[in-house]
Amino acid sequence: MKFHAITDVGRMRSQNQDNVYGSTSAIGPLPNLFLVADGMGGHNAGDYASKRAIELVRESVEKSPGTEPVEVLRTAITTANDMLYSEASQQEEKSGMGTTFVAATIVNEELLVANVGDSRLYVLHDGQLRQITLDHSLVEEMVRTGSMSQEMAYHHPKKHMITRAVGAEDKVDIDFFDVSLFGDEIILLCSDGLSNMVEDDRIRELLLAEGSSRQRAESLVRAANQKGGRDNITVIVVEPFSSEVKAC
């Protein structure tokens, strides 16, 4: 397995409120772990929320007595939500903070994914790119109910408004996905700084291009910046069945 993780401030923001983590070594009962978080909140609260959420999830997974990956991730993300919500309630400067969160682990030939918010996970298989996660955003929920087209959603001015976040409320609703892997997949985790700037067809082209996981990740960030880089950009490219291990 090899992967590359990268986060970039983009061209319009002065602060990076995204955070990223990846490990191909075991973390507690999980054989590997990949995390992307995109914080929200005024001043430094968004940066703190995303960084702290990743720290809390890592700590919880490391100490977990469980063996079932979905429950290990559920407990870890719920714990992070409880801690962030408590801090936001007690500290005025952190009021309203929260973060998107997408987590993935590969166990044998199964990809297990947890998601809150609009950061995404894609799988490229047999030349086809498939978005696995569902965006928890106002606009995407309108698309799912049929009241807005996907094309309208892509250009909608309120597409950044999310309906779920870790730390935003006292309870967190987490989506879980289980994907069978067949041996030639490339997995992409990203914040909306990529997916809102670069269309899926272009993401697919860049993942299919020759090169290493690092080259693919850097080309995705470069493409988002070339489109204007209006937000922070975070990318993890994972090649689960590659024999070379190469991290950021």
Side-chain angles (χ1 to χ4, degrees):
M1 182 184 298
K2 65 180 178 180
F3 81 98
H4 191 79
I6 184 170
T7 186
D8 187 270
V9 70
R11 292 187 170 180
M12 303 295 289
R13 301 290 179 91
S14 60
Q15 181 187 48
N16 192 346
Q17 295 193 335
D18 287 2
N19 274 279
V20 64
Y21 172 79
S23 174
T24 55
S25 300
I27 306 295
L30 302 184
N32 47 72
L33 185 61
F34 306 98
L35 309 172
V36 167
D38 178 359
M40 63 181 194
H43 303 293
N44 295 320
D47 173 61
Y48 177 84
S50 60
K51 181 179 179 180
R52 185 65 175 138
I54 284 181
E55 290 173 351
L56 289 165
V57 167
R58 284 179 57 193
E59 290 170 6
S60 178
V61 171
E62 286 171 356
K63 298 174 182 177
S64 176
T67 57
E68 206 288 310
V70 169
E71 291 310 311
V72 170
L73 288 173
R74 187 192 307 276
T75 298
I77 296 171
T78 300
T79 298
N81 185 81
D82 293 346
M83 294 291 289
L84 288 176
Y85 183 76
S86 177
E87 289 186 38
S89 301
Q90 297 173 21
Q91 301 175 37
E92 184 177 352
E93 68 274 15
K94 295 176 183 174
S95 178
M97 74 174 176
T99 183
T100 71
F101 206 87
V102 60
T105 186
I106 300 161
V107 182
N108 298 321
E109 296 178 353
E110 296 293 320
L111 170 65
L112 303 173
V113 184
N115 186 59
V116 180
D118 64 353
S119 292
R120 293 181 177 180
L121 184 143
Y122 294 88
V123 172
L124 179 72
H125 170 62
D126 198 22
Q128 300 301 311
L129 184 69
R130 179 161 63 110
Q131 181 182 336
I132 303 302
T133 54
L134 299 176
D135 294 354
H136 302 137
S137 68
L138 183 64
V139 167
E140 285 299 321
E141 288 180 5
M142 293 173 71
V143 170
R144 287 195 285 272
T145 61
S147 57
M148 182 180 295
S149 70
Q150 191 65 63
E151 184 177 356
M152 290 173 63
Y154 187 80
H155 299 286
H156 199 283
K158 293 185 178 180
K159 65 181 179 180
H160 299 284
M161 293 180 62
I162 60 175
T163 55
R164 297 188 206 174
V166 174
E169 298 181 356
D170 61 341
K171 303 293 183 183
V172 63
D173 189 7
I174 310 163
D175 283 353
F176 290 92
F177 305 89
D178 185 343
V179 182
S180 295
L181 302 176
F182 298 96
D184 65 345
E185 287 82 3
I186 297 176
I187 298 164
L188 169 66
L189 294 81
C190 66
S191 64
D192 68 346
L194 175 70
S195 57
N196 281 343
M197 299 303 299
V198 184
E199 294 183 350
D200 285 5
D201 284 347
R202 181 58 177 156
I203 291 174
R204 173 183 168 276
E205 289 175 4
L206 293 171
L207 289 175
L208 283 171
E210 290 294 326
S212 66
S213 54
R214 176 173 182 167
Q215 289 170 321
R216 290 186 174 99
E218 290 177 344
S219 70
L220 289 165
V221 171
R222 187 161 53 247
N225 276 323
Q226 287 171 347
K227 282 291 195 77
R230 291 195 296 268
D231 200 353
N232 309 142
I233 310 152
T234 297
V235 168
I236 306 178
V237 174
V238 186
E239 298 177 54
F241 299 105
S242 170
S243 60
E244 178 188 356
V245 176
K246 188 173 183 180
C248 58

